[in-house]
């Protein structure tokens, strides 16, 4: 991993944030910590990293505001949320089932739901990576963590 092709700071847009639940907040914190620990992030726009990234939902669009570490603007990429909506909705539904199952379901059922949850998460991560193609090059692990953060923003923007 190149030191110049990575995110060293990530900010989730405060106005996009609202009240969240404990499980979603935990996932968000873990995704941020894991993302900062290891990621591969190379915008096609001019500018040297390492990068700071601000994620937001504005006017029903997903915003990737990429900056240099000193906060100098690099480029803001804006994406329609439409292509991600179905997979985000599916992910929320399976997460709810998982959290309910953890309380009192048999271990085999919890494991089956968790496998499904990871599968939907992987599908969302792949779709995000495809949407970023040509604009921002990321590896699969980075797209997984970014997908988690986008879900956190989307959940809160929808409340």
């Amino acid at each position: 991993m190149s030191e110049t092709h990575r995110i060293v700071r990530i900010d989730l847009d405060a106005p996009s944030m609202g009240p969240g639940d404990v499980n979603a907040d935990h996932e968000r914190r873990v995704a941020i910590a894991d993302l900062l620990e290891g990621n591969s992030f190379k915008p096609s726009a001019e500018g040297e990293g390492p990068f700071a990234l601000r994620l937001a939902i504005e006017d029903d669009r997903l915003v990737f505001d990429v900056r240099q570490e000193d906060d100098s603007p690099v480029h803001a990429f804006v994406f329609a949320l439409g292509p991600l909506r179905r997979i985000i909705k599916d992910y929320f539904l399976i997460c709810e089932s998982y959290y309910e199952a953890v309380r009192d379901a048999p271990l085999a059922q919890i494991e089956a739901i968790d496998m499904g949850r990871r599968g939907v998460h992987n599908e969302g991560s792949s779709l995000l990576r495809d949407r970023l193609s040509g604009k921002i090059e990321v590896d699969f692990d980075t797209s997984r963590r970014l997908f988690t953060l986008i879900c956190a923003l989307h959940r809160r923007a929808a409340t």
Side-chain angles (χ1 to χ4, degrees):
M1 166 179 50
S2 167
E3 285 301 310
T4 60
H5 298 140
R6 63 184 311 261
I7 300 168
V8 293
R9 189 178 79 237
I10 187 149
D11 300 308
L12 300 182
D13 184 58
S16 298
M17 303 295 272
D21 68 33
V22 173
N23 293 318
D25 285 342
H26 174 73
E27 282 186 27
R28 177 186 49 81
R29 285 190 306 274
V30 168
I32 289 172
D34 287 349
L35 183 70
L36 294 177
E37 184 176 309
N39 66 79
S40 176
F41 187 88
K42 185 178 179 184
S44 60
E46 294 297 317
E48 285 296 317
F51 299 101
L53 175 65
R54 179 183 149 270
L55 287 177
I57 294 179
E58 297 173 355
D59 299 324
D60 210 29
R61 291 189 173 104
L62 177 61
V63 177
F64 276 66
D65 183 6
V66 181
R67 296 178 173 267
Q68 292 177 329
E69 190 174 14
D70 68 2
D71 226 22
S72 303
V74 173
H75 191 80
F77 299 94
V78 180
F79 304 91
L81 271 172
L84 291 170
R85 271 206 181 87
R86 181 197 57 80
I87 196 74
I88 290 172
K89 181 180 177 185
D90 290 350
Y91 183 66
F92 288 161
L93 290 173
I94 202 159
C95 283
E96 287 175 27
S97 296
Y98 174 78
Y99 296 131
E100 286 176 20
V102 166
R103 286 186 229 140
D104 57 9
L107 182 59
Q109 183 179 356
I110 294 168
E111 289 173 344
I113 293 170
D114 189 45
M115 278 182 43
R117 181 174 73 128
R118 282 183 271 141
V120 171
H121 194 274
N122 286 345
E123 184 181 341
S125 302
S126 293
L127 180 58
L128 175 62
R129 196 168 178 199
D130 291 345
R131 300 278 297 144
L132 294 175
S133 181
K135 296 168 185 66
I136 304 170
E137 184 181 321
V138 296
D139 64 8
F140 188 71
D141 288 338
T142 300
S143 69
R144 280 184 57 80
R145 292 166 185 136
L146 289 171
F147 181 75
T148 300
L149 298 176
I150 291 164
C151 286
L153 282 175
H154 192 272
R155 176 185 308 262
R156 291 174 176 200
T159 58

